Amino acid sequence: MIKPHLKKWLAISLLAASFSTLQGQSVPQDYIVMDMVHHNPGEPMTETSFREPAKLAAYGYNGMVINEFKFPQCALTFDKFDKRIFPKGSEEREWALSLQKEIRQQIRDCHKQGLKCYYFTDIIVLPKRLVELYKSEICDESGKISFRKEKTWEIHRLMLRELFNTFPEMDGLVIRTGETYTHNIPYHMGNGPVDYKKAYDESIQTHIRLMNLLREEVCVRRNKQIIYRTWDFGFFHIRPDYYMAVTEQVPVHPNLYIAIKHTNGDYFRTYPFNKTLTLGKHKQIVEVQCQREYEGKGAYPNYIAAGVIDGFEEYKGKPTPRCLNDIKTDSLFRGVWTWSRGGGWSGPFLKNELWCDLNAYVMSKWAQNPSRPEAEIFDEYADKIGITPETRPYFRRLSLLSADAIIRGRGSLIHKLAATWTRDEIIGGVPRQRSMFDDIYQKNLVEEALYEKKLATALWQEIEDLAQRVRCSDTATEHYIRTSARYGYLLYAIMEQGWIINLRGYLYETKQYPVDQSAIRLAIEKYDALWKEFRKFKDRNTDCATLYFDHLGEYTYGYNAQTGANGMGDSVDHYRKVFGME
């Protein structure tokens, strides 16, 4: 009989023993290394080589997640349930049948390259006509589709059965419950299945019942895989108590995995390593975003793979686990899921995906053999893209420095952060920064906070200098390394001047904080000059990504819906008036 305290040790030993050699690399038999392109909902599909299964196979992935926000259940006709939903000859039926053909071709393309094909699936998403016909049986008093209604559960069970009858070749589903996007599905509607704040205990029971339904219908009945994401806003994804309350009520199954972002929240550098990783009894896959939506989306150097694997600078001194190397021998660790491209909304839009490609390559190769040092894989990539051996140290140095520069320029190591003050292609202004500025003032960190931004700019200057020294056999790659480094320098120099203006101006107006008005006027002049240089630089370099915006106007996706116009440029214009520079 095995003693309880030896069970974990034995599980780890068995994990190590389960690694088999495949083309010189060690891969556990039930291990998943998969990638996804997260297209911007409602926008044109991302143009990227990562949409090609052959690219993923070449990088050693064994799975591909299709996420075009045209969910596979949207290709169903629901004929056996109710023929009125997609009547023959209707426009909506033709759309669904066309999607069926598209999905079958995608699956064939993946299988041809030896990849498993998984479909990203939002719950709840149902046909508009179905909801109209059965509204009284499936919707709550507010009109939302509700799992409080037994008919909703019945429909989902039938939907899963029809899904795998229609696509028996599909390898599995990736389930998201935290958000629901219907931008790309004109004949369907949906909403989240759980209400955490109003019905906390009920939300736990909903997850339990949904996971058990998926386990029964997909894992057991069909021998297909379910990858259940914990993503939400502050509960299942980051709270160990909530995570355990759900998962302990779902029996383990070889085909059931749980996917968890490596960050304890969204992909922010200032957030700690996820506290739910290694907890419970279910196999876990770690999600890693390679094109960081809050950090420029690859428009400038941003090498995050080293931090994810070995721990970011801000994790030093924090309790373990802090990184993937800390959990790689845990019995529950069963793979890595990279988002090679995408996340967030809108731009910047890239002409070259070098920095996303670097992150995806290193993460995928490490995941295939977690005993490999990150630096070794990095050097392999540098050789692959033609960086000359004598200048490889410069490429390595600038890549590692990018993480240092970003945490100081758009994050902070010393004060509370308004995490979304800048994101996607937006530089936010005072309304987005107010609580952060108050914290800086209360802790007497004004000069230190501004010095941190100055240091970030200095680091970007060093990155740009290093980029000039890198030589590559491919001239386009060599040029883009320099272009993207210059982009990073100009952007963060703009942010530095904006911080001087906005922080000092805000404190002058609200706290009677003494300021040198001439210094603020000089910062405004520099801010304007840097923007002029930034735009000229973009015009002169065809490989440059699209630029950020500091005047938001009516931003499409609601960034300023709650606070009004709040771009950094809007705030700077305000202080032009305050300090007599109209």
Side-chain angles (χ1 to χ4, degrees):
M1 182 176 180
I2 300 173
K3 295 181 180 181
H5 72 279
L6 294 177
K7 286 184 178 179
K8 186 82 169 184
W9 176 87
L10 179 59
I12 292 172
S13 299
L14 289 172
L15 171 64
S18 72
F19 277 70
S20 60
T21 300
L22 177 63
Q23 297 180 346
Q25 295 174 331
S26 297
V27 183
Q29 294 178 352
D30 62 346
Y31 201 77
I32 297 176
V33 184
M34 62 186 190
D35 183 64
M36 174 183 76
V37 175
H38 187 297
H39 301 277
N40 288 351
E43 299 180 36
M45 296 292 103
T46 303
E47 295 182 10
T48 170
S49 60
F50 284 97
R51 294 183 69 185
E52 300 298 327
K55 166 76 174 252
L56 301 192
Y59 276 28
Y61 289 98
N62 60 21
M64 184 174 190
V65 180
I66 305 295
N67 181 19
E68 299 177 355
F69 297 107
K70 292 183 287 187
F71 312 113
Q73 68 265 39
C74 298
L76 306 180
T77 63
F78 288 85
D79 281 350
K80 290 185 178 180
F81 177 66
D82 190 327
K83 295 184 185 300
R84 296 174 296 171
I85 296 170
F86 286 108
K88 290 185 178 181
S90 66
E91 181 180 287
E92 51 268 37
R93 186 182 183 89
E94 292 305 310
W95 184 89
L97 294 177
S98 176
L99 182 56
Q100 284 187 18
K101 294 178 182 178
E102 185 178 327
I103 289 172
R104 290 193 181 101
Q105 186 60 54
Q106 289 170 331
I107 296 172
R108 284 195 294 268
D109 291 343
C110 284
H111 288 174
K112 185 178 179 181
Q113 296 297 328
L115 303 175
K116 287 190 174 181
C117 188
Y118 304 98
Y119 273 83
F120 192 94
T121 308
D122 276 355
I123 302 288
I124 303 170
V125 170
L126 294 174
K128 290 179 179 178
R129 180 60 174 157
L130 185 154
V131 177
E132 179 185 336
L133 290 168
Y134 293 89
K135 186 173 183 178
S136 62
E137 296 180 74
I138 65 174
C139 292
D140 61 20
E141 60 278 1
S142 69
K144 289 185 177 181
I145 308 165
S146 174
F147 272 133
R148 291 179 178 176
K149 306 283 188 173
E150 283 303 314
K151 193 70 173 181
T152 306
W153 290 103
E154 176 191 337
I155 289 169
H156 275 77
R157 186 178 295 276
L158 294 172
M159 182 183 78
L160 289 168
R161 292 181 180 181
E162 182 180 348
L163 181 62
F164 284 96
N165 285 337
T166 305
F167 303 110
E169 66 274 38
M170 186 183 293
D171 295 292
L173 299 174
V174 174
I175 304 297
R176 179 173 75 164
T177 61
E179 296 178 83
T180 305
Y181 294 162
T182 58
H183 304 73
N184 297 5
I185 44 175
Y187 304 108
H188 293 74
M189 62 184 292
N191 51 258
V194 294
D195 189 334
Y196 298 94
K197 295 181 180 179
K198 292 183 179 178
Y200 176 84
D201 292 334
E202 183 181 302
S203 71
I204 291 174
Q205 294 305 314
T206 300
H207 276 300
I208 292 170
R209 187 171 179 183
L210 180 57
M211 287 185 71
N212 277 313
L213 172 65
L214 291 161
R215 179 187 181 279
E216 177 187 343
E217 289 295 333
V218 181
C219 301
V220 177
R221 189 182 180 95
R222 297 289 182 162
N223 194 28
K224 303 292 185 176
Q225 291 177 322
I226 285 292
I227 300 166
Y228 196 92
R229 298 187 69 212
T230 61
W231 172 245
D232 60 21
F233 295 93
F235 296 89
F236 198 2
H237 184 63
I238 68 171
R239 287 181 50 171
D241 61 330
Y242 194 103
Y243 181 88
M244 295 297 291
V246 173
T247 60
E248 286 299 297
Q249 300 304 312
V250 181
V252 170
H253 191 279
N255 288 330
L256 178 60
Y257 296 75
I258 296 180
I260 306 169
K261 293 182 182 182
H262 68 91
T263 43
N264 210 59
D266 213 346
Y267 292 114
F268 292 111
R269 277 284 304 277
T270 51
Y271 287 9
F273 198 69
N274 198 296
K275 297 177 182 178
T276 65
L277 287 169
T278 74
L279 295 185
K281 59 187 179 181
H282 294 278
K283 294 185 288 188
Q284 297 177 336
I285 299 175
V286 182
E287 300 181 37
V288 180
Q289 187 180 47
C290 298
Q291 184 183 20
R292 309 290 272 204
E293 68 200 75
Y294 303 107
E295 300 168 12
K297 293 189 172 181
Y300 50 79
N302 184 12
Y303 181 51
I304 56 91
V308 175
I309 293 169
D310 291 320
F312 287 106
E313 173 185 3
E314 59 269 26
Y315 292 175
K316 291 179 181 178
K318 301 290 177 65
T320 56
R322 297 183 293 259
C323 59
L324 293 189
N325 263 328
D326 286 346
I327 68 169
K328 65 184 180 183
T329 58
D330 190 273
S331 60
L332 301 180
F333 179 64
R334 276 300 186 275
V336 171
W337 169 12
T338 58
W339 302 16
S340 55
R341 294 293 308 274
W345 308 89
S346 201
F349 297 104
L350 306 182
K351 297 291 184 64
N352 189 312
E353 58 186 358
L354 170 69
W355 301 109
C356 312
D357 193 72
L358 168 61
N359 286 321
Y361 184 89
V362 174
M363 290 308 312
S364 67
K365 293 297 182 181
W366 179 88
Q368 293 160 48
N369 184 359
S371 65
R372 293 187 69 188
E374 169 274 327
E376 176 187 292
I377 305 171
F378 181 95
D379 285 348
E380 181 178 284
Y381 182 83
D383 289 341
K384 172 182 166 305
I385 63 172
I387 304 295
T388 62
E390 62 273 17
T391 66
R392 188 195 300 159
Y394 305 138
F395 184 60
R396 173 70 172 174
R397 174 68 176 159
L398 78 85
S399 297
L400 293 176
L401 275 181
S402 68
D404 298 343
I406 288 167
I407 189 60
R408 290 166 174 81
R410 70 91 51 221
S412 177
L413 295 173
I414 64 172
H415 63 76
K416 177 182 174 182
L417 189 68
T420 58
W421 76 267
T422 178
R423 64 160 296 171
D424 301 310
E425 59 189 1
I426 300 160
I427 312 176
V430 166
R432 277 300 217 193
Q433 298 169 312
R434 189 174 287 116
S435 64
M436 179 167 56
F437 287 172
D438 287 339
D439 182 69
I440 291 169
Y441 172 76
Q442 290 163 7
K443 293 179 179 177
N444 196 27
L445 291 173
V446 175
E447 300 309 319
E448 288 86 345
L450 293 178
Y451 179 77
E452 194 174 38
K453 297 297 173 278
K454 182 177 182 179
L455 180 56
T457 304
L459 289 171
W460 280 110
Q461 181 65 71
E462 184 177 352
I463 289 168
E464 187 178 5
D465 292 344
L466 288 164
Q468 294 295 325
R469 303 170 74 178
V470 174
R471 296 292 178 268
C472 184
S473 60
D474 180 69
T475 56
T477 299
E478 181 177 297
H479 190 271
Y480 184 67
I481 291 171
R482 297 174 184 175
T483 296
S484 60
R486 181 65 176 169
Y487 187 113
Y489 167 75
L490 289 169
L491 175 64
Y492 280 77
I494 287 169
M495 289 180 177
E496 179 198 353
Q497 298 306 314
W499 265 70
I500 293 171
I501 300 159
N502 286 339
L503 176 55
R504 292 196 186 280
Y506 172 76
L507 295 179
Y508 172 79
E509 282 192 304
T510 62
K511 315 292 186 186
Q512 290 78 53
Y513 190 82
V515 298
D516 180 349
Q517 296 191 19
S518 63
I520 292 181
R521 294 189 186 97
L522 178 60
I524 291 173
E525 291 175 0
K526 288 182 178 179
Y527 185 86
D528 293 341
L530 284 164
W531 266 114
K532 186 178 294 186
E533 185 177 356
F534 201 16
R535 294 186 181 103
K536 286 182 179 179
F537 175 76
K538 169 70 170 66
D539 293 340
R540 290 195 302 265
N541 293 276
T542 57
D543 58 349
C544 184
T546 59
L547 301 186
Y548 274 62
F549 295 96
D550 69 339
H551 290 278
L552 303 188
E554 296 298 326
Y555 184 63
T556 306
Y557 297 108
Y559 180 85
N560 63 320
Q562 295 179 341
T563 57
N566 61 356
M568 180 171 277
D570 299 307
S571 296
V572 170
D573 286 347
H574 170 74
Y575 292 116
R576 290 182 204 278
K577 298 176 182 178
V578 172
F579 296 106
M581 294 186 67
E582 290 182 275

